[in-house]
Each structure stands twice: as C-alpha cells, then as structure tokens.
Amino acid sequence: MDAPLRSSRPTAGQHDLVGQLARGEAMLGAGVKRLPASLYTDADRFRREQSTVFANEPLLLGPSALLPRANMAVTHDDYGLPLIVSRDGDGQVHVLANVCRHRGTRLLEADEPVPAARIVCPYHAWAYRADGRLAAVPRPDCFPGLVKETMPLARFAAMESGGLIWFSRNPDCDFSGVSVLEADMEAFGLSGLHLYQRRTHEVAANWKLVIDAFLESYHVQRLHAATIATFFADGITVADRIGRHQRAVVGRTDYLARLDPDDWAQIRRAATFTYHLFPNSVIIVSPDYINVLLCYPQDVGHTRVEDLMLIPEPPQTNEAEAHWRKSWDLLDGGTFGAEDFRAAALCHQGLASGLIQEVTLGTLESGIADFHRLLDEALD
Ligand code: FES
C-alpha cells in the first residue's frame, strides 16, 4: 500500500532544497561549535525560558485534525494551563479557559474530542457555546443584574493556519511568525488529514534535548541502526529556515537525481522533510503520513512529548489498518520512544552529573547551534 498524501505542488523553497539534495550539496556547518551544558540543566534558565519565550511566543497546540468537525472541543493541559480548544459552528477555532465563570469548576474532563455545541458545567449547569459565550444559567432569577454577554469563558489569542492550531498566553501576540509556514504545510495537504493515533511520552530530559534530536542527522545511522537507518544515506541533509523555523530534507541522493524535480508525488516518496517549529515542536513528513511532535516542558529535566500521526483518511480495510499500525509502531514506539527519547534522557543524565561543562557539535549538527542561537535571541 502506498497511498500518497493529498498534496498539490512544492513551494519554491521546498523545490530548491530538494534540488540541492539531488545535486549532492549536503549541508555542512562551518566548524565545531560548543554550547554550555548548563543550557539543559540550569533551573533558573528553565524558568527564564518559561517566563519569556513560552509566556509570549505562539505555541503549537496540535493539528487541525484534532477537531475534524464543527462544534467540537478538546481539553489541553500540557502547557500548565487548563485549556479548551474548540471549533464553533462556523468552523472557527477558539482557545478558552477550561474554568467556569460561576465558581471556577473545570468544565471538560476527558482528553478526547467531544461534541461542544453546548459545554455544560458539571456543578450547577451553566452552559457555554463552543466560542466561549455564556448561553444559559439555571434559575437566572438567583443572579439579579447578571448580564450573560459579559460572562464568557476567558479567551486566549489563537490562530489556525496550514492545518495547525496555535495559541499564546500573550494577548497581543503577533502570529505572523507562524503564518509563514502555511504554504509549506498546505503543500503536504496537512489541513485535510485524518488523526490516526496520538500518544504521550514522559521523557526524563530537558525539552531542548528532545528538540536537538530532530535537528541533526549525524545520529541516524548510529542510534537508528535497527529501525530507520536503511532509508537514509549517512549525513545527507540540506536545510534552511523559514523565519525562526528550520526546514530540513533527507533522502536518497542517487535516486533523487534521476527524478523529475517537478513531480511532487515522486519526490515525496524519495525525500523526507523535517520541520522544527520554533520553539518546541517538530513535524516529520514521511512519504504517506506525517508525525507531529509537541514538546511540553514540565520541569528542567522532564518533558512531556505528544506524538500525533496523521494519515490521508480513516483506514477502510484491515489491510489499511495493518499498514498504518506498522508505521505507527516503527516511529512512535521504536524510533522515537525507544531511541530518540531514550537518547535524550541518557544525555540529560550525563549532563546533570556536572562532569562535563560543554557539549561539542560537529559540522552535521549545526542545526542545533542555530536553534540555540535563535532561542537566546528570543530570551533577550
Ligand atoms: Fe460552574 Fe457553578 S461552578 S456552574
């Protein structure tokens, strides 16, 4: 089975990157770089990242496929705030506080999407619409002077673009830095995909160690020798940036050189795109499915990582289910869980010992240095 994703054509940037890959112009950083180990282990640094970057930047909440229909809602707690992500009757996305305006009760409890034409508080049954407006109050005579229009759920700045849902704690957040991704995401048909699986991993590592694993290809032939290494050549990666987001592509160079560079479907089968969405998310585009990884920092040495796999449509046959299950197991359980996340946790153990003061980055790891430079700029 080899169902292609619904996709139209590459963007000019994607086209250029694949051309570089086909010509064998593998990316090499300028030289060896070093980063202080304390970037990953210092609790004050972690708190500063939270109070500056995570408190102000647009943060990814998940793919649009989380809410495939109008009047649906799902809880989201992993950024340390009780949120409801909802889609109203017109299809518009909202990010709301999961906190009743009456006396503060949590409104939705389950973490699976639920119908939300009415969100009813379990305590005294105040009812809200999917856009957060207060719709009904039982025994309104007990609340003389209460004006429902002035009592909506607290609302956060939010944007849906290119099949992704973003929010920010900062009400004045500028989302232009994420809307620049829309064309690339639409080239993969992201907004029309079906959510096949999602799973949360608890990783005993600083969040940046998880991100780092997706910013270099040096480890692929070593760490992933038993899983995905055979799909890739050693160290053949090209990358560039869209704003602060990193876009990289790996592939079989010899094969790509023989392909029509305008045949997107063929290219998609021979090249794998990876995006680091600043600051804390990763998108990996396999030939016929996409994984979205969201890293939620919980503490300086603890990251919750959510993996969501998107496929073109719900499996219609046992054969299709077996096909997607095999891909899910290969990446989520094998490649990510048992390899990338394990390596991040082992790395954190070593750095937390305090026995080395710096990490050393080779020329195939320059994407990591780039990410940390951009993060430092955001912290300032
Ligand atoms: Fe929600 Fe009373 S706390 S209705």
Side-chain angles (χ1 to χ4, degrees):
M1 178 168 175
D2 195 13
L5 293 173
R6 281 186 286 259
S7 57
S8 48
R9 53 195 327 131
T11 64
Q14 290 168 335
H15 191 276
D16 288 350
L17 266 193
V18 170
Q20 290 174 38
L21 189 66
R23 293 190 297 275
E25 298 169 8
M27 177 187 75
L28 287 177
V32 170
K33 293 192 171 68
R34 292 188 169 81
L35 298 174
S38 60
L39 288 180
Y40 303 102
T41 58
D42 182 79
D44 286 340
R45 159 87 188 200
F46 177 82
R47 282 191 283 274
R48 202 152 63 89
E49 289 168 354
Q50 288 296 304
S51 63
T52 54
V53 177
F54 282 83
N56 288 292
E57 299 286 337
L59 300 173
L60 188 63
L61 287 168
S64 300
L66 261 179
L67 299 172
R69 290 178 296 283
N71 283 322
M72 294 187 77
V74 65
T75 61
H76 197 298
D77 296 286
D78 292 322
Y79 284 118
L81 290 168
L83 301 178
I84 293 173
V85 187
S86 64
R87 191 181 295 287
D88 68 22
D90 295 326
Q92 177 81 26
V93 161
H94 305 271
V95 178
L96 310 164
N98 193 5
V99 179
C100 180
R101 286 296 301 268
H102 177 215
R103 280 169 48 195
T105 300
R106 182 180 175 91
L107 293 165
L108 296 181
E109 295 175 84
D111 61 0
E112 292 301 316
V114 294
R118 278 280 203 277
I119 299 171
V120 180
C121 181
Y123 202 166
H124 312 91
W126 283 28
Y128 301 87
R129 298 191 198 282
D131 61 8
R133 283 179 295 156
L134 178 59
V137 173
R139 289 291 306 271
D141 53 302
C142 300
F143 294 89
L146 184 144
V147 179
K148 291 204 294 287
E149 288 70 22
T150 64
M151 298 286 281
L153 298 177
R155 166 187 299 276
F156 291 84
M159 189 186 74
E160 183 175 32
S161 170
L164 298 172
I165 300 172
W166 301 82
F167 97 113
S168 177
R169 291 182 174 93
N170 178 357
D172 301 318
C173 177
D174 176 4
F175 286 91
S176 61
V178 295
S179 57
V180 293
L181 292 162
E182 182 169 344
D184 273 56
M185 299 299 110
E186 287 302 348
F188 300 121
L190 196 74
S191 61
L193 299 183
H194 167 76
L195 176 58
Y196 173 66
Q197 283 286 339
R198 58 193 284 223
R199 178 184 169 195
T200 297
H201 300 255
E202 303 293 340
V203 183
N206 183 265
W207 69 278
K208 301 184 295 294
L209 290 170
V210 180
I211 294 292
D212 286 355
F214 297 92
L215 292 173
E216 52 95 348
S217 59
Y218 179 44
H219 71 279
V220 172
Q221 294 300 315
R222 269 62 66 178
L223 180 66
H224 300 313
T227 50
I228 59 169
T230 54
F231 300 126
F232 303 104
D234 191 6
I236 305 299
T237 306
V238 292
D240 64 0
R241 291 220 319 269
I242 306 173
R244 291 184 294 181
H245 315 289
Q246 191 171 128
R247 171 175 57 189
V249 61
V250 297
R252 289 156 49 199
T253 307
D254 54 336
Y255 183 55
L256 277 170
R258 298 197 299 271
L259 294 182
D260 175 354
D262 293 314
D263 187 333
W264 190 218
Q266 276 193 25
I267 298 291
R268 291 284 315 279
R269 292 190 183 92
T272 297
F273 279 85
T274 301
Y275 291 76
H276 166 229
L277 308 186
F278 188 88
N280 63 319
S281 301
V282 172
I283 290 190
I284 300 160
V285 185
S286 296
D288 56 357
Y289 61 97
I290 290 178
N291 287 81
V292 181
L293 296 173
L294 297 105
C295 297
Y296 306 114
Q298 303 298 301
D299 202 344
V300 66
H302 175 200
T303 304
R304 185 166 296 146
V305 186
E306 187 176 20
D307 176 19
L308 302 101
M309 178 172 159
L310 307 173
I311 62 176
E313 58 189 15
Q316 306 290 342
T317 64
N318 290 338
E319 182 198 12
E321 171 61 30
H323 169 79
W324 299 121
R325 173 59 56 181
K326 187 175 166 190
S327 296
W328 171 253
D329 290 344
L330 173 68
L331 282 197
D332 182 77
T335 310
F336 300 153
E339 296 174 350
D340 290 310
F341 303 159
R342 176 169 172 265
L346 291 172
C347 209
H348 193 96
Q349 279 185 31
L351 296 175
S353 73
L355 294 177
I356 66 168
Q357 307 309 311
E358 292 179 325
V359 297
T360 304
L361 303 173
T363 58
L364 289 173
E365 298 162 296
S366 59
I368 295 175
D370 214 24
F371 162 49
H372 287 268
R373 181 178 59 75
L374 291 164
L375 185 60
D376 282 344
E377 287 177 13
L379 281 169
D380 288 340

